[in-house]
Amino acid sequence: MQRPSGRKPEQLRDVRITRHYTRHAEGSVLVEFGDTKVLCNASVEADIPRFLRGKGSGWITAEYGMLPRSTGSRMGREAARGKQGGRTVEIQRLIGRSLRAAVDLKLLGEHQITIDCDVIQADGGTRTASITGACVALVDALRYMQREKMIDTDPLKNMVAAISVGIYNGVPVLDLDYPEDSNADTDMNLVMAEDGGMIEVQGTAEGAPFTEQQFAEMLALGKAGINELIALQKQALAE
Amino acid sequence: MQRPSGRKPEQLRDVRITRHYTRHAEGSVLVEFGDTKVLCNASVEADIPRFLRGKGSGWITAEYGMLPRSTGSRMGREAARGKQGGRTVEIQRLIGRSLRAAVDLKLLGEHQITIDCDVIQADGGTRTASITGACVALVDALRYMQREKMIDTDPLKNMVAAISVGIYNGVPVLDLDYPEDSNADTDMNLVMAEDGGMIEVQGTAEGAPFTEQQFAEMLALGKAGINELIALQKQALAE
Amino acid sequence: MQRPSGRKPEQLRDVRITRHYTRHAEGSVLVEFGDTKVLCNASVEADIPRFLRGKGSGWITAEYGMLPRSTGSRMGREAARGKQGGRTVEIQRLIGRSLRAAVDLKLLGEHQITIDCDVIQADGGTRTASITGACVALVDALRYMQREKMIDTDPLKNMVAAISVGIYNGVPVLDLDYPEDSNADTDMNLVMAEDGGMIEVQGTAEGAPFTEQQFAEMLALGKAGINELIALQKQALAE
Amino acid sequence: MQRPSGRKPEQLRDVRITRHYTRHAEGSVLVEFGDTKVLCNASVEADIPRFLRGKGSGWITAEYGMLPRSTGSRMGREAARGKQGGRTVEIQRLIGRSLRAAVDLKLLGEHQITIDCDVIQADGGTRTASITGACVALVDALRYMQREKMIDTDPLKNMVAAISVGIYNGVPVLDLDYPEDSNADTDMNLVMAEDGGMIEVQGTAEGAPFTEQQFAEMLALGKAGINELIALQKQALAE
Amino acid sequence: MQRPSGRKPEQLRDVRITRHYTRHAEGSVLVEFGDTKVLCNASVEADIPRFLRGKGSGWITAEYGMLPRSTGSRMGREAARGKQGGRTVEIQRLIGRSLRAAVDLKLLGEHQITIDCDVIQADGGTRTASITGACVALVDALRYMQREKMIDTDPLKNMVAAISVGIYNGVPVLDLDYPEDSNADTDMNLVMAEDGGMIEVQGTAEGAPFTEQQFAEMLALGKAGINELIALQKQALAE
Amino acid sequence: MQRPSGRKPEQLRDVRITRHYTRHAEGSVLVEFGDTKVLCNASVEADIPRFLRGKGSGWITAEYGMLPRSTGSRMGREAARGKQGGRTVEIQRLIGRSLRAAVDLKLLGEHQITIDCDVIQADGGTRTASITGACVALVDALRYMQREKMIDTDPLKNMVAAISVGIYNGVPVLDLDYPEDSNADTDMNLVMAEDGGMIEVQGTAEGAPFTEQQFAEMLALGKAGINELIALQKQALAE
C-alpha cells in the first residue's frame, strides 16, 4: 500500500502553527496540516449566552466557515445563500464541545470566548486542524485575560488536539489528506486531551462498516498522532 | 449505584415497534423506547438528488423533527422560527448516514427514500430510537418497491440499529433516559449492523474526558444492546 | 347521490377523542375524525406577548403543522424549507381565534396557552378536527391551572367545536373526507359555541358560487354536527 | 346609535374607482373607500405555476402589501423583515380565490394574471376594497388580452365585489372604517358575484359570538352593499 | 443628438411635488419627475437605534421599495422573496446618508425619522427623485416636531436635492429617463446641498470609462439641475 | 497637520501584492495596503447568469466578506445571521462593476469569473484594496483561460485600480487607514483605468459637505495614487 503523498501510515503531514497571525483577535493562530490552512481567531467577549447568565460560569463557542474558493471547485458562499449548511453546523458544534472540555468554565467567570475557524485552503482534515489550532488560540486568549486581570486563575485544564484516522485501501492511516479522504472506507475523528482523556470519538462508515479490530487500530494510531500534535502545540506556545 | 428507573446497567427500556402506524407512507413505524416515542415514515420517491442523476444509483436521506411539546417545556417550532437548529441538522445527517450503510444503493436504482423521524414524546435517546425504528420502516419501503416491481433484488445488506451508552455516576449504563442523560458525564451513540460491523461511533465528553477503559466497556455494553434491538426488529418484521 | 364512504349526508365520521395522549403537555388530546388524526397539545406559559403586557389579560394562540408524510404524497418539511406556507398560517390563525372565543381572557390572568395541532394522518377536515380536539386540550390545561392555583376561577365560557360542510354532487353533506373535499364545489368551515353562538363562518366557492338557499342548508347541517361534537367533547371530559 | 362618521348603518363610504392609474400594468386601478386607498395592478404573464402546466388552463393569483406608513403608526416593512406576516398571507389568498371565481380559467389559456394590491392609505376594509378594485383591474387585463389576441373569448363569468359588515354597538353596519372596525364585536367579509352567487363568507367573532339572526341581518346588509359596488364597477368600466 | 423625449440636454423633466399626499405620516410627499412617481413618507419615532442611545443625538434612516408593477414587466415582490435585493439596499443607504447631511442630528434629540420611499411608477431616476422628495417630507416632519414641542430649534441645515446626469450618444444630458438610462455609457448621481456643498457624487461607467473633461461637464450640468430642484422644493414648502 | 501614521498627505501605505497565494483558484492574490489584508480569489466557471445565456457574452461578478474577527471587535458572522448586510452588498456590487469595466465581456465568451474578496485583517480601505487585488487575480484567471484554450484573445482592456481619498483635519489625504477613516469629514473612493479613464467616483460626506475645490484636489490626489498602484500591479504581474 502506497499513500498518494508517499507518507507512512502513521505519519502526520507537516504541521505548522503560527501565533499572532492577525492583530485584532485576543488569540490568532494560522494552523497548517500540509496544504490545509485554517485561521483560528479567539475573541473574548464580556457577554455570555442567556441560559448561563447569573450562574457564575463562562462559555466557549465556535464558528466555522470555508472561504468559497478554499476548495477545488468554488462552493457557494453561505452568507449569500442565507444559511449555514448541515456540515458547517455539525463541525462548529464539534469544535465548541471539544474546546469546552479543555477549560474549567467556572474559572472563566461570566465571559464568552468565540473561536472563529475559517478555512483559507482545504486539503482534507479541516475540522481536526481547526480544533488543534483553536486550542492554541484559546490559550493565547486565556493569557490575555490573565494579563488584563479579567481572571485570576488559569482556567486551562488540559491541552486538546484532534486528528483524523481512516482505512485507506484496507490499511489504517493517520491524518488523511483530500485524495485519501475521498477514497477512504472509514473516517474517524479523534479529539483527546493532553492527559490521554478521550473527548470525542466519531467513527463513520459511509461505505463498508468497520470491525472492532480496525476500530482499535485506528484508535491507537490516532492516539500517537495526538501526542505529536500536543507536543507541537506546546512548542508553539513556548516561543 | 441505582438508576433512576430501577433498571440494571445493561438493561434496555421496554422497546415496542409498531408497523403500519399511519396509512399513507410506504413504511410507517412507531418506535417506543420506554417513554420516548418516534414516528418513522419512509417515503419512496422517483426523484433523486441532482448530484446522483444519471449514475444509476439511489439515495436514502432522513429528516428529523420534534413536536414542540414532545419535551418537558415547550420548544419553539422550527418551521415558525424559519430554520432547523444545529442539533436537528446533526441528528438527521446521522440518521441518513446510518441507513445508507444498511442498503446497497446501486440495487436501489434511481430512487430516493426519505425517512421522516418525528418525535411525538421525548425521554432521552431520540436519535437512537429514530435509527432503530427507521430501519424497520426502510425495510417495509423496500418490500413495497419489490411488490410494485420498482426493483428486482432486495437492496438490504444488513439490519442496522442504534443505542446510547453513558457513564452515569461512574458506571457505564445502557439506553439512557432523560434523567440519566442530563446527568451523565459521557454520552456515546453507537450504530451497528446485524453482522457486528460498526457504522457510527460517537462518544462525547462535555464534562470529564473518558478513559480508553471506559470507552471499551461502553462499547461492549452497546454491542449487546444492539443485538437485542436487532432481534426485536426482526421479530416485528416477521409479524 | 352516494357518498364515497357510504355515509348519509348528515352523518359524521367516527369521532374519537383521547385525552392525556402524551405526558408532558398540560393538555394533550389525540382527536380522530375517521382517518384524520391530529395531536393537540396545550402548553401553559407564564409569558404573554408584548402587546398584552401589563394589561392583566391572558392570550391563547395556536400553531399548526402537518407531518411531511401525513398526506398521500410526501410534502416538503416546512422547517427545512425555512417558512410556513400560506395555508398553514391561515389555519393556525383560525384555530387561535376560535379558541380565544371560548375563554374569558381576563380571567386567564397574564398567562399564555399555546395549542400545537400537529396532523399525524390527513384525510380531509384537519382544521375542524384541530379546533374540536384543541378545545378539549384547552379545558385540560385550564383544569391544570386551577389545580396549580395559577387561576382562581374557570375562564371557560363555552365549549367550541368545528365542522366542515360542503356541496358534493349538488347535495349538502357533513364532515367531508379527502375524496369528497377534493371534488366539492363549495367548502364551508363552521365554528360554533355550545350555546349556539357563531364564532367563525368561512364559506368558500373555488368553483361555482353558492346560493343563499344552499348556504342556509349547509349552516343547518353544520349546526347539527357541532351539537354532536360538543356532546362527544363533554363525554370525553367527563371520563 | 351614531356611527363615528355620521353614516347611516346601510351606507357605504364614498367609493371612487380610477382606471389606468399607472401606465405599465395591463390593468391599473386606484380604488378608494373613503380614506382607504388601494392600488390594484394586474399583470399578464405567459408563465403559469408548475402544477398547471400542460393542463390547458390559466391561473389568477394575488399579492397584497401595505406601505409601511399607510397606517396610523409605522409598521415594519415586510421586505426588510424578510417575511410576509400571517395577516398578509391570509388576505392575499382571499383575494386570489375571489378573483378566480370571477373567471373561467379554461378560457384564459395557459396565462397567469397576478394582481398586486398595495395599500397606499388604510382606514379599515383594505381587503374588501382590494377585491373590488382588483376585479376592475382584472377586466382591463382581460380586455388587453383580447385586443392583443392572446385569447379569443372573454373569460369573465361575473363581476365580483366585496364588502365588510359588522356589529357596532349592537347594530349591524355596512363598510366599517377603522374607528368602527377596531371596536366592532363581529366582523364579516362578504364576497359575491354579480348574479347573487356567494363566493366567500367570512364571519369572525373575536369578542362575543353572533347569533344566526345577526348573521342573517349582516348578510342582507352586505348583499345590498355588493349590489351598489357592482354598479360602481360597471360604471367605471363603461367610461 | 436628439433626446428620445425631445428635451434639451440641460432640461429637467416636469417636476411636481405634492405635499400632504397621505394623511397618517408626519411628512408625506408625492414627487414626480415626469413619469417617475415616488411616494415619500416621513415617520417620526421616539426610538433610536441602539448604537446611538444615551448619546443625545438623533438619527435619520430611509427604506426604499418598488411596487412590483411600477416597472415595464412585473418584478417579484421583495417581501414574498424574503429579502431585499442588492440594488434596493444600495439605494436606501444612499437616501439615508444624503438626508443625514441635511440635518444637525444633535438638534434632533433622541428621535429617529424614517423616510419610506416607495416607487409607484418608474421611468428612470427613482433614487434621485426619492432624495428630492424625501427632503421635503423631512422638512414637514421637522415642522411637525416643532409644533408638537418635541424639539425647540429647527435642525435643518440645508435643503438637499439629487439629480442624475449621463452621457447619452456622446453628449452629457440632465435627468435621464428610462430610455436614456438604459442606453447611456455613464451614469452619475449627484446629491448637493442648497449652499453648493457636495454631499454625494456617484459616477459609474459600466461601459466605456469617462474622461475628467466629461466628468467636469456632467458636474456642471448636475449643479444647475440641483439649483432648479431646490427652487421647486422651496416653492412647494412655501405653499 | 500630522497623519496618525506619520505619512505625507499624498503617500500610500506599503502595498504588497502576492500572487498564487492559495492553490485551488485560477487567480489568487493576497493584497496588503499596510495592515489591511484581503484575499482575492478568481474562479472561472462555465456557467453564466440566466439573463446572459445565448448572447455570446461573459460575466464578471464579485462577492465580499469580512472574517468575523478581521476587525477590532468581533462582528457577527453573516452566514450565521442568515443575510449579508447592506454595506457588504454595496461593496460587492462596486467591485463587480469595476472589474467588468476592465474586460471586453464579448471576448470572454460564455464564461463567468467570480472574484471572492475576503478580508483577513481590516485597517481601512478594504474595498479599494479589494478592487486593486482583484484585478490582478482576474488577469491570472484570464491567463489561465488562454493557456487552457478556453478563449483565444486576451479580453483585458485596461488594468483597473482603486484608492480612497479623504479630507482629514481639513487636508486632503490619500489612502486613509482606519484611524483617519473614522475621523474624516469626507471619504471618496476612486476607481480608474490604466489609460486614465474614470470608472467609478464615489464621494460621500456624512459630516460637512465638500466644495468643488476640495473635490478637485481629492481627484488629483487619487489619480496620482492610482498610477502608483497600477505600476505595482504590473510589476507583480511581471514576476
Side-chain angles (χ1 to χ4, degrees):
Chain A
M1 202 281 311
Q2 178 72 32
R3 297 181 74 170
S5 60
R7 280 186 283 148
K8 291 184 221 132
E10 71 283 7
Q11 191 181 346
L12 289 175
R13 290 177 280 185
D14 277 350
V15 172
R16 281 173 301 281
I17 295 173
T18 309
R19 288 165 65 210
H20 313 306
Y21 190 73
T22 63
R23 83 169 208 218
H24 297 301
E26 284 74 39
S28 178
V29 166
L30 181 77
V31 64
E32 298 170 81
F33 278 39
D35 272 351
T36 288
K37 302 181 187 206
V38 185
L39 175 52
C40 307
N41 281 335
S43 299
V44 175
E45 290 163 302
D47 204 26
I48 53 167
R50 191 172 305 186
F51 70 89
L52 276 178
R53 285 187 197 146
K55 303 203 174 155
S57 175
W59 192 242
I60 295 173
T61 189
E63 295 194 2
Y64 170 92
M66 299 184 85
L67 295 194
R69 197 56 198 283
S70 58
T71 45
S73 59
R74 186 178 183 271
M75 301 183 315
R77 184 178 290 265
E78 290 185 326
R81 274 187 288 148
K83 64 185 276 195
Q84 295 180 299
R87 180 184 167 278
T88 294
V89 168
E90 198 174 286
I91 291 176
Q92 67 192 11
R93 284 165 60 87
L94 170 64
I95 301 171
R97 280 198 309 271
S98 299
L99 296 178
R100 284 192 292 277
V103 168
D104 184 328
L105 295 172
K106 283 285 174 198
L107 292 182
L108 195 56
E110 294 215 344
H111 300 100
Q112 171 163 294
I113 300 177
T114 302
I115 320 260
D116 288 288
C117 297
D118 285 277
V119 178
I120 305 294
Q121 188 174 280
D123 186 38
T126 64
R127 81 187 71 187
T128 48
S130 292
I131 292 167
T132 304
C135 188
V136 177
L138 173 62
V139 171
D140 273 330
L142 295 175
R143 289 180 181 177
Y144 165 89
M145 291 174 79
Q146 289 171 281
R147 279 197 311 276
E148 298 291 317
K149 313 288 184 211
M150 298 168 79
I151 48 176
D152 301 323
T153 323
D154 185 357
L156 187 75
K157 297 190 296 188
N158 245 319
M159 286 305 289
V160 162
I163 197 67
S164 73
V165 203
I167 296 176
Y168 178 75
N169 287 344
V171 179
V173 296
L174 186 70
D175 188 20
L176 289 74
D177 55 28
Y178 182 75
E180 290 171 334
D181 193 27
S182 48
N183 286 296
D185 292 325
T186 293
D187 183 22
M188 183 169 118
N189 291 297
L190 185 65
V191 186
M192 289 181 73
E194 189 181 350
D195 63 2
M198 296 168 80
I199 290 169
E200 189 99 17
V201 181
Q202 291 197 345
T204 297
E206 275 257 356
F210 46 93
T211 64
E212 279 186 73
Q213 171 64 20
Q214 288 174 317
F215 188 74
E217 286 173 28
M218 288 194 286
L219 216 53
L221 213 50
K223 206 174 147 180
I226 298 266
N227 285 341
E228 284 188 67
L229 289 171
I230 286 176
L232 289 165
Q233 288 174 323
K234 294 194 153 182
Q235 185 180 317
L237 282 164
E239 278 159 18
Chain B
M1 200 283 308
Q2 178 72 33
R3 298 180 73 169
S5 61
R7 280 187 283 148
K8 290 184 221 136
E10 71 282 8
Q11 192 181 345
L12 289 175
R13 290 177 280 183
D14 278 350
V15 172
R16 283 172 300 283
I17 296 172
T18 309
R19 288 164 65 210
H20 312 306
Y21 189 74
T22 62
R23 84 171 208 218
H24 297 300
E26 283 75 38
S28 177
V29 166
L30 182 77
V31 63
E32 298 169 81
F33 279 37
D35 272 352
T36 289
K37 302 180 187 207
V38 185
L39 175 51
C40 308
N41 281 335
S43 298
V44 176
E45 290 163 301
D47 204 26
I48 52 166
R50 190 173 303 186
F51 70 89
L52 277 177
R53 282 184 200 148
K55 303 204 173 153
S57 176
W59 192 244
I60 295 173
T61 188
E63 295 192 1
Y64 171 91
M66 299 185 85
L67 294 194
R69 196 56 198 283
S70 58
T71 46
S73 58
R74 186 177 184 272
M75 301 183 315
R77 184 177 290 264
E78 291 186 325
R81 273 188 289 149
K83 64 186 275 195
Q84 295 180 299
R87 180 185 168 275
T88 295
V89 168
E90 197 173 286
I91 292 177
Q92 66 192 10
R93 284 166 59 88
L94 170 64
I95 301 171
R97 279 199 309 270
S98 299
L99 296 177
R100 283 193 292 277
V103 167
D104 183 328
L105 295 172
K106 284 285 174 198
L107 292 181
L108 195 56
E110 295 214 342
H111 299 100
Q112 171 163 294
I113 301 178
T114 302
I115 321 258
D116 289 289
C117 297
D118 285 278
V119 179
I120 305 294
Q121 190 173 276
D123 186 38
T126 63
R127 81 188 71 188
T128 47
S130 292
I131 293 168
T132 305
C135 188
V136 178
L138 173 63
V139 171
D140 273 332
L142 296 175
R143 289 181 181 176
Y144 164 89
M145 290 174 80
Q146 289 172 284
R147 280 197 310 276
E148 297 293 317
K149 312 289 183 211
M150 296 168 81
I151 48 176
D152 301 323
T153 322
D154 186 357
L156 188 74
K157 297 191 295 190
N158 247 317
M159 285 307 289
V160 163
I163 197 66
S164 73
V165 204
I167 296 176
Y168 178 76
N169 288 343
V171 179
V173 296
L174 187 70
D175 188 18
L176 288 75
D177 54 29
Y178 182 74
E180 291 171 333
D181 193 26
S182 46
N183 287 295
D185 292 324
T186 293
D187 183 22
M188 182 168 118
N189 291 296
L190 186 64
V191 186
M192 288 181 74
E194 189 181 349
D195 64 2
M198 296 169 79
I199 291 169
E200 188 101 15
V201 181
Q202 291 198 344
T204 298
E206 275 255 358
F210 45 95
T211 63
E212 278 186 73
Q213 170 64 20
Q214 287 173 318
F215 189 73
E217 286 173 28
M218 289 194 286
L219 215 56
L221 214 51
K223 204 173 147 182
I226 298 266
N227 284 341
E228 283 187 69
L229 289 172
I230 286 177
L232 290 165
Q233 288 175 322
K234 293 195 154 181
Q235 186 179 317
L237 282 164
E239 278 160 17
Chain C
M1 202 282 309
Q2 177 72 31
R3 297 180 74 169
S5 60
R7 281 187 283 148
K8 292 185 219 133
E10 70 283 6
Q11 193 180 345
L12 289 174
R13 289 178 279 185
D14 278 351
V15 173
R16 282 172 301 281
I17 295 172
T18 309
R19 288 165 64 210
H20 312 306
Y21 189 73
T22 63
R23 84 170 208 218
H24 297 300
E26 285 73 39
S28 178
V29 166
L30 182 77
V31 63
E32 298 169 81
F33 279 37
D35 272 352
T36 289
K37 304 180 187 206
V38 185
L39 175 52
C40 307
N41 281 336
S43 299
V44 175
E45 290 162 301
D47 203 26
I48 52 166
R50 191 173 304 188
F51 70 90
L52 277 177
R53 283 185 200 148
K55 303 205 174 154
S57 176
W59 192 243
I60 296 172
T61 188
E63 295 194 1
Y64 171 93
M66 299 184 84
L67 295 194
R69 197 55 198 283
S70 58
T71 46
S73 57
R74 186 177 184 273
M75 300 184 317
R77 185 177 291 264
E78 289 185 326
R81 274 187 289 148
K83 64 186 275 195
Q84 295 180 298
R87 180 183 167 277
T88 294
V89 168
E90 197 173 287
I91 291 177
Q92 68 192 10
R93 284 166 59 88
L94 170 64
I95 301 171
R97 280 198 310 269
S98 299
L99 296 177
R100 284 193 292 276
V103 166
D104 183 328
L105 295 172
K106 285 282 173 198
L107 293 182
L108 195 56
E110 294 216 343
H111 300 100
Q112 171 163 292
I113 301 177
T114 301
I115 321 258
D116 288 289
C117 296
D118 285 279
V119 178
I120 304 295
Q121 188 173 278
D123 186 39
T126 63
R127 81 187 71 187
T128 48
S130 292
I131 293 167
T132 304
C135 188
V136 177
L138 173 62
V139 171
D140 273 331
L142 295 175
R143 290 181 180 176
Y144 165 88
M145 291 174 78
Q146 289 171 283
R147 280 198 310 277
E148 298 292 317
K149 312 289 184 210
M150 297 168 79
I151 48 175
D152 302 322
T153 322
D154 186 357
L156 188 74
K157 296 190 297 188
N158 247 316
M159 288 303 291
V160 162
I163 196 67
S164 72
V165 204
I167 296 176
Y168 178 75
N169 287 342
V171 178
V173 296
L174 188 70
D175 188 19
L176 288 75
D177 54 28
Y178 182 74
E180 291 171 334
D181 193 27
S182 48
N183 287 294
D185 293 324
T186 293
D187 183 21
M188 181 168 120
N189 291 296
L190 186 64
V191 187
M192 288 182 75
E194 190 181 349
D195 65 2
M198 296 168 80
I199 289 168
E200 188 101 17
V201 182
Q202 291 197 344
T204 298
E206 274 257 357
F210 46 93
T211 63
E212 279 187 73
Q213 171 63 22
Q214 286 173 319
F215 188 72
E217 286 173 28
M218 288 194 287
L219 216 54
L221 213 51
K223 205 172 147 181
I226 298 267
N227 285 341
E228 282 188 70
L229 289 172
I230 286 178
L232 290 164
Q233 287 175 323
K234 294 194 153 182
Q235 186 179 316
L237 283 164
E239 277 159 17
Chain D
M1 200 281 309
Q2 178 72 32
R3 298 180 73 170
S5 60
R7 280 188 283 147
K8 292 185 219 133
E10 71 282 6
Q11 193 180 346
L12 290 175
R13 289 177 281 183
D14 278 350
V15 173
R16 281 172 302 283
I17 295 172
T18 309
R19 289 164 65 210
H20 312 307
Y21 189 74
T22 62
R23 84 172 207 216
H24 297 301
E26 285 74 38
S28 177
V29 165
L30 182 78
V31 63
E32 299 170 81
F33 279 37
D35 271 352
T36 289
K37 302 180 189 208
V38 185
L39 175 52
C40 307
N41 281 336
S43 299
V44 176
E45 291 163 301
D47 204 26
I48 52 166
R50 191 173 303 188
F51 70 90
L52 277 177
R53 282 184 200 150
K55 301 204 174 154
S57 177
W59 192 244
I60 294 173
T61 189
E63 295 193 0
Y64 170 92
M66 299 184 85
L67 295 194
R69 197 56 197 281
S70 58
T71 46
S73 58
R74 186 177 184 273
M75 301 184 315
R77 185 177 290 265
E78 291 186 325
R81 274 187 289 149
K83 64 185 276 197
Q84 295 180 299
R87 179 184 168 277
T88 294
V89 168
E90 198 174 286
I91 291 177
Q92 67 192 11
R93 284 167 59 89
L94 170 63
I95 302 172
R97 281 198 309 270
S98 299
L99 296 178
R100 284 193 292 276
V103 166
D104 184 327
L105 295 172
K106 283 284 174 198
L107 293 182
L108 194 57
E110 295 214 344
H111 300 99
Q112 171 164 292
I113 300 177
T114 301
I115 321 258
D116 288 289
C117 296
D118 285 278
V119 178
I120 303 296
Q121 187 174 279
D123 186 38
T126 63
R127 81 187 72 188
T128 48
S130 292
I131 293 168
T132 304
C135 189
V136 177
L138 173 62
V139 171
D140 273 331
L142 296 175
R143 289 180 181 176
Y144 165 88
M145 292 174 78
Q146 289 171 283
R147 280 198 310 276
E148 298 293 316
K149 311 290 184 211
M150 297 168 80
I151 48 175
D152 300 323
T153 323
D154 185 357
L156 187 75
K157 296 191 297 188
N158 246 317
M159 286 305 289
V160 162
I163 196 67
S164 72
V165 205
I167 296 176
Y168 179 76
N169 288 344
V171 178
V173 296
L174 187 70
D175 189 18
L176 289 74
D177 53 30
Y178 182 74
E180 291 171 333
D181 193 26
S182 47
N183 287 293
D185 292 324
T186 293
D187 183 22
M188 181 168 120
N189 291 295
L190 186 64
V191 186
M192 288 181 74
E194 189 181 349
D195 64 2
M198 296 169 78
I199 289 169
E200 188 100 17
V201 181
Q202 291 197 345
T204 297
E206 275 257 357
F210 45 93
T211 63
E212 279 187 73
Q213 171 63 21
Q214 287 173 316
F215 188 73
E217 285 173 29
M218 288 194 286
L219 216 53
L221 213 51
K223 205 172 147 182
I226 298 267
N227 285 341
E228 282 187 68
L229 289 171
I230 287 178
L232 289 165
Q233 288 174 322
K234 293 194 154 182
Q235 186 179 317
L237 283 164
E239 278 160 15
Chain E
M1 200 281 311
Q2 177 72 32
R3 297 181 74 170
S5 61
R7 279 188 284 148
K8 291 183 221 134
E10 71 281 8
Q11 191 180 348
L12 289 175
R13 290 178 280 183
D14 278 351
V15 173
R16 282 171 300 282
I17 296 173
T18 309
R19 289 164 64 210
H20 312 306
Y21 190 74
T22 64
R23 84 170 208 218
H24 297 301
E26 284 73 39
S28 178
V29 166
L30 182 77
V31 63
E32 298 169 81
F33 279 38
D35 272 352
T36 288
K37 303 181 187 204
V38 185
L39 175 51
C40 307
N41 281 335
S43 299
V44 176
E45 290 163 301
D47 205 25
I48 52 166
R50 190 173 304 187
F51 69 90
L52 277 177
R53 283 186 199 148
K55 303 204 176 154
S57 176
W59 193 243
I60 295 172
T61 188
E63 295 194 0
Y64 171 92
M66 299 185 85
L67 295 193
R69 197 55 198 283
S70 58
T71 44
S73 58
R74 186 177 184 272
M75 300 184 316
R77 182 178 292 265
E78 290 185 326
R81 274 187 289 149
K83 65 185 276 196
Q84 295 180 298
R87 181 185 165 275
T88 294
V89 168
E90 197 174 285
I91 291 177
Q92 66 192 11
R93 285 166 58 89
L94 169 64
I95 301 172
R97 280 198 309 270
S98 298
L99 296 178
R100 283 193 292 276
V103 166
D104 183 329
L105 295 172
K106 284 284 173 196
L107 293 182
L108 195 57
E110 293 215 344
H111 300 99
Q112 171 163 294
I113 300 178
T114 301
I115 320 259
D116 288 288
C117 297
D118 285 278
V119 178
I120 304 296
Q121 189 173 280
D123 186 38
T126 63
R127 81 188 70 187
T128 47
S130 292
I131 293 167
T132 304
C135 189
V136 177
L138 173 62
V139 171
D140 274 331
L142 295 175
R143 289 181 181 177
Y144 165 88
M145 291 175 79
Q146 290 171 282
R147 280 196 311 275
E148 298 292 318
K149 313 287 185 213
M150 297 168 80
I151 47 176
D152 300 322
T153 323
D154 186 356
L156 187 74
K157 297 191 295 189
N158 246 319
M159 287 304 291
V160 161
I163 197 66
S164 72
V165 203
I167 296 177
Y168 179 76
N169 287 343
V171 179
V173 296
L174 187 70
D175 188 20
L176 288 74
D177 54 28
Y178 181 74
E180 289 171 334
D181 192 28
S182 47
N183 287 295
D185 292 323
T186 293
D187 183 21
M188 181 169 120
N189 292 296
L190 186 64
V191 186
M192 288 180 75
E194 189 181 350
D195 64 2
M198 296 169 79
I199 290 169
E200 187 101 16
V201 181
Q202 291 198 344
T204 298
E206 275 256 357
F210 46 95
T211 62
E212 278 187 74
Q213 170 65 19
Q214 287 173 318
F215 188 72
E217 286 173 29
M218 289 194 285
L219 215 55
L221 213 51
K223 204 172 149 181
I226 298 267
N227 285 341
E228 283 188 69
L229 289 171
I230 286 178
L232 290 165
Q233 288 174 324
K234 294 194 153 181
Q235 185 180 319
L237 283 164
E239 277 161 17
Chain F
M1 200 280 310
Q2 177 72 32
R3 297 181 74 170
S5 60
R7 280 187 284 148
K8 290 184 220 135
E10 71 281 8
Q11 191 181 347
L12 289 175
R13 291 178 278 184
D14 278 351
V15 173
R16 282 172 301 282
I17 296 173
T18 309
R19 288 164 66 209
H20 312 305
Y21 190 74
T22 63
R23 82 172 209 218
H24 297 300
E26 284 75 37
S28 178
V29 166
L30 181 77
V31 64
E32 298 169 82
F33 279 37
D35 272 351
T36 288
K37 302 181 188 205
V38 185
L39 175 52
C40 308
N41 280 336
S43 299
V44 175
E45 290 163 303
D47 204 25
I48 52 166
R50 191 173 304 186
F51 70 90
L52 276 177
R53 283 184 199 148
K55 302 203 174 153
S57 177
W59 191 243
I60 294 172
T61 188
E63 295 194 359
Y64 171 92
M66 298 184 86
L67 294 194
R69 197 56 197 284
S70 58
T71 46
S73 59
R74 186 177 183 273
M75 302 184 314
R77 185 177 289 266
E78 291 186 325
R81 274 187 289 148
K83 63 187 278 194
Q84 294 179 299
R87 180 184 167 278
T88 294
V89 168
E90 199 173 285
I91 291 176
Q92 67 192 9
R93 285 165 59 87
L94 169 64
I95 302 171
R97 280 198 309 271
S98 299
L99 296 177
R100 284 192 293 277
V103 166
D104 183 329
L105 296 171
K106 284 284 175 197
L107 292 182
L108 195 56
E110 295 214 343
H111 300 99
Q112 171 163 293
I113 300 176
T114 301
I115 320 259
D116 288 290
C117 296
D118 285 278
V119 178
I120 304 296
Q121 188 174 279
D123 185 38
T126 64
R127 81 188 70 189
T128 47
S130 293
I131 293 167
T132 304
C135 187
V136 177
L138 173 63
V139 171
D140 273 331
L142 296 175
R143 289 180 180 175
Y144 166 88
M145 291 173 79
Q146 289 171 282
R147 280 197 309 277
E148 298 293 317
K149 312 288 184 212
M150 297 169 79
I151 48 175
D152 301 322
T153 324
D154 186 356
L156 187 74
K157 297 191 296 189
N158 245 319
M159 287 305 288
V160 162
I163 198 66
S164 72
V165 203
I167 296 176
Y168 178 75
N169 287 344
V171 178
V173 296
L174 186 70
D175 188 19
L176 288 74
D177 53 29
Y178 182 74
E180 290 171 332
D181 193 26
S182 47
N183 287 295
D185 293 323
T186 293
D187 183 21
M188 182 168 118
N189 291 296
L190 185 65
V191 186
M192 288 180 75
E194 189 181 350
D195 64 1
M198 296 168 78
I199 290 169
E200 189 100 16
V201 181
Q202 290 198 346
T204 297
E206 275 258 357
F210 44 95
T211 63
E212 279 186 74
Q213 170 65 20
Q214 287 173 316
F215 189 73
E217 286 173 28
M218 289 194 285
L219 216 54
L221 214 50
K223 206 173 146 181
I226 298 265
N227 285 342
E228 282 188 68
L229 290 171
I230 287 177
L232 290 165
Q233 288 174 323
K234 292 194 155 181
Q235 185 180 317
L237 283 164
E239 278 159 16

